[in-house]
Amino acid sequence: MDRGWGFLIGLLGAVWLLSSGHGEQQPPETAAQRCFCQVSGYLDDCTCDVETIDRFNNYRLFPRLQKLLESDYFRYYKVNLKRPCPFWNDISQCGRRDCAVKPCQSDEVPDGIKSASYKYSEEANNLIEECEQAERLGAVDESLSEETQKAVLQWTKHDDSSDNFCEADDIQSPDAEYVDLLLNPERYTGYKGPDAWKIWNVIYEENCFKPQTIKRPLNPLASGQGKSEENTFYSWLEGLCVEKRAFYRLISGLHASINVHLSARYLLQETWLEKKWGHNITEFQQRFDGILTQGEGPRRLKNLYFLYLIELRALSKVLPFFERPDFQLFTGNKIQDEENKMLSFPLHFDENSFFAGDKKEAHKLKEDFRLHFRNISRIMDCVGCFKCRLWGKLQTQGLGTALKILFSEKLIANMPESGPSYEFHLTRQEIVSLFNAFGRISTSVKELENFRNLLQSIH
């Protein structure tokens, strides 16, 4: 096993069911307590506590994960930001400079990344191409009309996407371009108002599993909700089955994580010489303070930790896929390729509890779950800020890839020890989005520590 892979596998594989602990209690009536006093102890539906995650992420995982994401394989992401919104036409494009995305020039992307259509070693790629050529020669009827051949291609695409939780971009489209994620960081762009609200309202109201008896908006940033009503609101959530409850918490956690990023990389000052980005404590409090949000803020943060465990669990599950001897995170740079390897973590969330009831009912519920999330991935094409759209698409694809992994346990277990896996595979787009999405969640957990310290320092 090469040095880079062993380095990261050893980091996470050595962490086994860490003992639970509790952070120091903060003095009462402080801003820090109002945001964080309820964000402690064990998480619902999980067997891990917040304090353990903080210690593990902030001091062991975060620094090394960030280094991994700076490598060529993970920094270049191919995306189509020109896809039309499939749900409505009245999209107001953000005209601010900070909303713009600068795509890569052709010579800026490593040749190994541009030419790599598969995720295996060069020897395995050659074998795949030979097999596929033989299949084409033996199976394709050249007498098929062009229309029929297109239909067959569409059927193949449908089959390939039947287990996916996201609707991915067609990276072969002329509109798809490589973006250097390090040069287009996620941060506050000024994109807000009715257009931004519409995105989240549609996600919550039309794609979460909302009982018809609930009249209150599911969007947790909806204003005018009193604390007494908040308790009633969450009583129905606790009454949902674990699948529907988890779906809502995943969306809420993603929403919270994005808001943490925007608060941590906020435009604090702008002059004709430079821009100063940094932590906006007021913005953070408006989104997560227990009093200012009528009790919502701490719940959002706990859902962020829930999302962290879900994505970390997926990385643990997919470890055999990356451990096979012929697998490479191929960039063409041999030194970098040898330094990139994967992550593992103990069982903190049991996805086997999902869809475990009656087979017919469970199959329908899983399909509803998948289709709801695919719909959310399509909504990202309706975001008017291109930088927000870029990071929204990447993070939803990353979470969708994590869900695909969690519900492909048998396929992963049956993979061959070497060579291509036809039953379960991940594209380079899925791998890049999976790691970068988890990198965003990891960053959020780290930033919570920073905000906690900042809030303590002002009192």
Side-chain angles (χ1 to χ4, degrees):
M1 183 177 292
D2 62 72
R3 178 172 59 86
W5 278 106
F7 177 69
L8 284 175
I9 291 175
L11 163 68
L12 295 173
V15 183
W16 186 256
L17 203 59
L18 301 175
S19 59
S20 63
H22 298 279
E24 296 180 1
Q25 291 185 346
Q26 307 303 328
E29 305 300 327
T30 67
Q33 185 192 27
R34 293 203 306 267
C35 289
F36 295 105
C37 68
Q38 298 176 42
V39 188
S40 62
Y42 284 91
L43 296 165
D44 298 337
D45 300 320
C46 297
T47 58
C48 188
D49 61 273
V50 168
E51 291 77 15
T52 297
I53 299 173
D54 283 339
R55 291 195 301 270
F56 171 75
N57 180 77
N58 298 348
Y59 301 106
R60 303 193 65 179
L61 174 62
F62 175 79
R64 301 182 184 191
L65 180 58
Q66 294 306 304
K67 183 178 180 180
L68 184 71
L69 296 179
E70 290 172 0
S71 67
D72 285 349
Y73 187 89
F74 292 101
R75 69 185 292 181
Y76 295 106
Y77 179 66
K78 197 169 188 181
V79 62
N80 183 357
L81 298 176
K82 299 178 182 179
R83 287 179 58 173
C85 172
F87 300 107
W88 57 84
N89 296 321
D90 55 333
I91 300 178
S92 299
Q93 301 292 349
C94 176
R96 296 173 59 93
R97 286 180 298 172
D98 295 324
C99 286
V101 171
K102 181 182 178 181
C104 297
Q105 299 297 317
S106 179
D107 59 353
E108 294 175 336
V109 183
D111 291 336
I113 289 178
K114 288 187 294 186
S115 62
S117 57
Y118 295 102
K119 59 281 175 192
Y120 304 107
S121 65
E122 184 176 357
E123 293 81 6
N125 285 339
N126 293 335
L127 178 62
I128 294 173
E129 291 174 2
E130 289 177 8
C131 291
E132 290 186 343
Q133 184 178 15
E135 274 190 33
R136 287 195 297 269
L137 292 174
V140 174
D141 183 350
E142 298 294 341
S143 65
L144 293 177
S145 67
E146 181 178 350
E147 182 179 0
T148 303
Q149 291 183 43
K150 288 182 179 180
V152 171
L153 180 60
Q154 291 300 317
W155 295 337
T156 303
K157 288 183 177 180
H158 173 77
D159 291 339
D160 289 342
S161 66
S162 61
D163 289 326
N164 291 340
F165 283 74
C166 264
E167 184 169 305
D169 287 345
D170 177 8
I171 61 173
Q172 303 304 324
S173 167
D175 290 330
E177 298 177 292
Y178 280 102
V179 173
D180 186 338
L181 298 175
L182 299 184
L183 298 181
N184 295 274
E186 183 183 25
R187 58 191 178 190
Y188 182 78
T189 65
Y191 177 63
K192 57 184 179 180
D195 293 324
W197 276 94
K198 187 175 184 179
I199 298 294
W200 285 111
N201 282 334
V202 170
I203 288 175
Y204 281 107
E205 298 301 318
E206 298 183 18
N207 293 283
C208 286
F209 296 90
K210 179 181 179 180
Q212 294 182 351
T213 56
I214 301 298
K215 303 303 180 184
R216 172 193 155 154
L218 294 191
N219 186 344
L221 293 184
S223 59
Q225 305 301 331
K227 190 169 184 178
S228 60
E229 187 176 355
E230 179 263 341
N231 293 330
T232 304
F233 172 64
Y234 279 101
S235 64
W236 75 263
L237 182 61
E238 297 304 319
L240 288 179
C241 66
V242 65
E243 294 89 354
K244 294 181 179 180
R245 185 167 64 242
F247 191 95
Y248 175 83
R249 296 183 67 193
L250 289 174
I251 301 305
S252 173
L254 178 60
H255 195 179
S257 179
I258 291 173
N259 284 329
V260 171
H261 305 155
L262 304 186
S263 301
R265 302 195 69 169
Y266 201 93
L267 182 58
L268 301 178
Q269 185 179 356
E270 182 176 9
T271 67
W272 66 278
L273 285 175
E274 62 178 353
K275 293 181 178 181
K276 181 181 178 182
W277 303 86
H279 294 82
N280 188 321
I281 299 176
T282 301
E283 187 74 18
F284 181 83
Q285 288 178 288
Q286 289 177 347
R287 298 173 186 270
F288 300 108
D289 185 287
I291 293 178
L292 297 179
T293 61
Q294 291 93 35
E296 286 271 8
R299 287 183 179 272
R300 299 171 193 165
L301 294 181
K302 293 195 78 169
N303 289 338
L304 187 158
Y305 281 97
F306 177 77
L307 173 62
Y308 180 97
L309 290 180
I310 291 291
E311 296 201 4
L312 195 56
R313 176 61 175 153
L315 290 172
S316 172
K317 280 284 188 182
V318 80
L319 183 60
F321 178 81
F322 294 98
E323 283 185 320
R324 292 178 305 150
D326 62 333
F327 178 84
Q328 287 184 356
L329 298 178
F330 185 71
T331 66
N333 183 323
K334 291 185 177 180
I335 296 177
Q336 275 201 12
D337 290 346
E338 289 176 357
E339 290 180 348
N340 290 330
K341 255 319 184 182
M342 183 44 173
L343 312 167
S344 172
F345 196 74
L347 175 61
H348 285 314
F349 178 82
D350 182 11
E351 73 285 352
N352 291 322
S353 62
F354 275 15
F355 317 113
D358 176 76
K359 287 187 177 180
K360 185 176 181 180
E361 181 181 349
H363 177 76
K364 182 182 184 304
L365 186 57
K366 180 178 179 180
E367 185 65 7
D368 288 344
F369 197 93
R370 189 180 68 83
L371 292 177
H372 276 245
F373 197 85
R374 283 179 67 89
N375 213 38
I376 290 174
S377 72
R378 299 176 68 204
I379 293 173
M380 293 301 108
D381 287 316
C382 302
V383 176
C385 166
F386 284 115
K387 186 166 291 182
C388 305
R389 183 182 297 191
L390 164 66
W391 286 100
K393 288 167 77 75
L394 182 144
Q395 290 176 82
T396 52
Q397 185 180 22
L399 178 52
T401 302
L403 294 173
K404 171 183 174 179
I405 292 167
L406 289 176
F407 301 124
S408 301
E409 182 176 13
K410 292 182 178 179
L411 297 180
I412 295 174
N414 293 329
M415 286 189 305
E417 293 184 0
S418 62
S421 169
Y422 294 105
E423 294 297 322
F424 176 84
H425 68 276
L426 294 177
T427 65
R428 179 182 176 274
Q429 290 294 101
E430 289 175 313
I431 295 171
V432 172
S433 65
L434 174 68
F435 275 84
N436 274 281
F438 182 63
R440 294 281 74 208
I441 308 302
S442 175
T443 299
S444 294
V445 173
K446 176 62 176 176
E447 289 293 358
L448 291 184
E449 179 183 60
N450 296 332
F451 276 113
R452 185 185 288 108
N453 293 335
L454 287 170
L455 287 169
Q456 290 173 356
S457 68
I458 63 177
H459 289 277

